[in-house]
Amino acid sequence: MGRPSRQTLNHPSVTSLRHFGRRHSPPPPRASAFRKAAAVLLLAAAVALPCAVLYRAAVWATVPANVAWTRRPLREWDPPHSPVLVPDENGDVDPMPPGDLDSEDLRLELVLQEASMANKTIILTTLNAAWASPGSVIDLFIESFHRGVRTSSLLRHLVIVTFDWKAYRRCVKIHPYCFALVTEDVDFSQEKRFLTTGYLEMMWKRLDFLRLVLEKGYSFVFSDADIMWFRNPFPYFYPDGDFQIACDHYVGNATDLRNIANGGFNYVKSNNQSIEFYKFWYSSRLRYPGYHDQDVLNFIKHDPYITNIGLTIKFLSTTYFGGICEPSRDLNKVCTMHANCCIGLRNKIHDLRIMMEDWRNYMSMPPSLKRFGALSWRVPQNCSLSLLSP
Ligand SMILES: *[C@@H]1O[C@H](CO)[C@@H](O)[C@H](O)[C@H]1NC(C)=O
Ligand SMILES: *[C@@H]1O[C@H](CO)[C@@H](O)[C@H](O)[C@H]1NC(C)=O
Ligand SMILES: *[C@@H]1O[C@H](CO)[C@@H](O)[C@H](O)[C@H]1NC(C)=O
Ligand SMILES: *[C@@H]1O[C@H](CO)[C@@H](O)[C@H](O)[C@H]1NC(C)=O
């Protein structure tokens, strides 16, 4: 199989990424003291510290500013190719995990505040190393906002949540709001093949994170990065849905539970119902081991518990929120197009590029031709529906 040669394992500074946020074996007290000190330095720059601590903290100080949450003005803090690397007892070099867990909450608070719309709504996506390389999925994602209709201003409200160091480093180069999600021993940097253990862990980690965002009072649009944003989706959401989700297959009725939800795109209002629902959804993984969040959602959507907590679910029509499984046929209506029903990164990128080309052709047509509906998608090509049996 033509798998991408994005192996990061042989990259010397990346092997030690496995140490990211390792909780069960605490870092040597020395290092942990440095991190604390660095955090203090960052958060309260004026606090006077003993000289020795200051000296030590200065060694780390370049990093926390960069790994905390990042806006463009802070870019001078970004160590371009040589972050401060301190060999550990084995002589391995650890490129500094993204802050310790104590400050993770604060980092999240800050980046959400910065990126939020006035009504406490943000746009979120997640990124790992495999999707982060130049020309890969994340570039197409961001390009779609620039080429879409009234979507470029939405980038100001997009937070990219990164699963690993390489994705984080790439994020801060291309986007003002990046959040490094601290993960335990799991290495999330490789391409995740559908339904492997690593893939599942990543999906569940993401769901738990989204629950936290809701608890902080932020409503969000979550979008996978393999979704092209061609129009502003906000006018197409239902005013009365707590949880609104795109579909692999839409049956033509927004409340019909026979719609097949796709977890890659949803709009969730922060309220008691949605928070309770995310807790229920996350805990349901224990009842359905081996399934990912999307499958489990399609199991639990019938559960009376959801009606009991008073959650209103709305399924979004594929007329506006389409994908390769079921395209938004009318380019005059499409908001988003998802490279779902697609296995393999090369295939995905190939078809996303075709989608983008189709959109550019559509945008360059005169209005009369656009109205006439003279253009239709040339996908799927390399994404193959037949590989998937839902
Ligand atoms: C929040 O603000 C955005 C941007 O103005 C708007 O599109 C969206 O509909 C608002 N959401 C709600 C729930 O009012
Ligand atoms: C849509 O589905 C809901 C729930 O199944 C049902 O009550 C309602 O009658 C349906 N609406 C239409 C227009 O079919
Ligand atoms: C949400 O739940 C809390 C605690 O149970 C309660 O105090 C609050 O009033 C609820 N808010 C809404 C909007 O229902
Ligand atoms: C896409 O499919 C075509 C035809 O099967 C093949 O020649 C091409 O190499 C594929 N491209 C990628 C990126 O896999």
Side-chain angles (χ1 to χ4, degrees), residues 367-382:
S368 56
L369 267 180
K370 277 185 183 154
R371 272 197 302 276
F372 185 67
L375 209 134
S376 52
W377 301 110
R378 290 174 297 154
V379 290
Q381 289 187 7
N382 290 38

Side-chain angles (χ1 to χ4, degrees), residues 117-121 154 157 219 232 234-235 267 269:
M117 299 173 191
N119 55 19
K120 288 195 92 177
T121 304
L154 295 174
H157 306 292
S219 304
N232 182 346
F234 283 98
Y267 169 53
K269 287 184 196 158

Side-chain angles (χ1 to χ4, degrees), residues 147-149 230-231 329-334 354-378:
R147 299 201 182 278
V149 179
F230 294 132
R231 283 191 178 82
R329 304 219 173 267
D330 188 346
L331 276 84
N332 294 303
K333 291 185 176 162
V334 62
I354 302 288
M355 243 186 240
M356 186 70 78
E357 263 177 50
D358 290 346
W359 178 255
R360 291 174 65 172
N361 290 337
Y362 165 80
M363 289 298 278
S364 65
M365 287 187 338
S368 56
L369 267 180
K370 277 185 183 154
R371 272 197 302 276
F372 185 67
L375 209 134
S376 52
W377 301 110
R378 290 174 297 154

Side-chain angles (χ1 to χ4, degrees), residues 346-347 350 382:
R346 272 167 55 108
N347 294 334
H350 178 272
N382 290 38

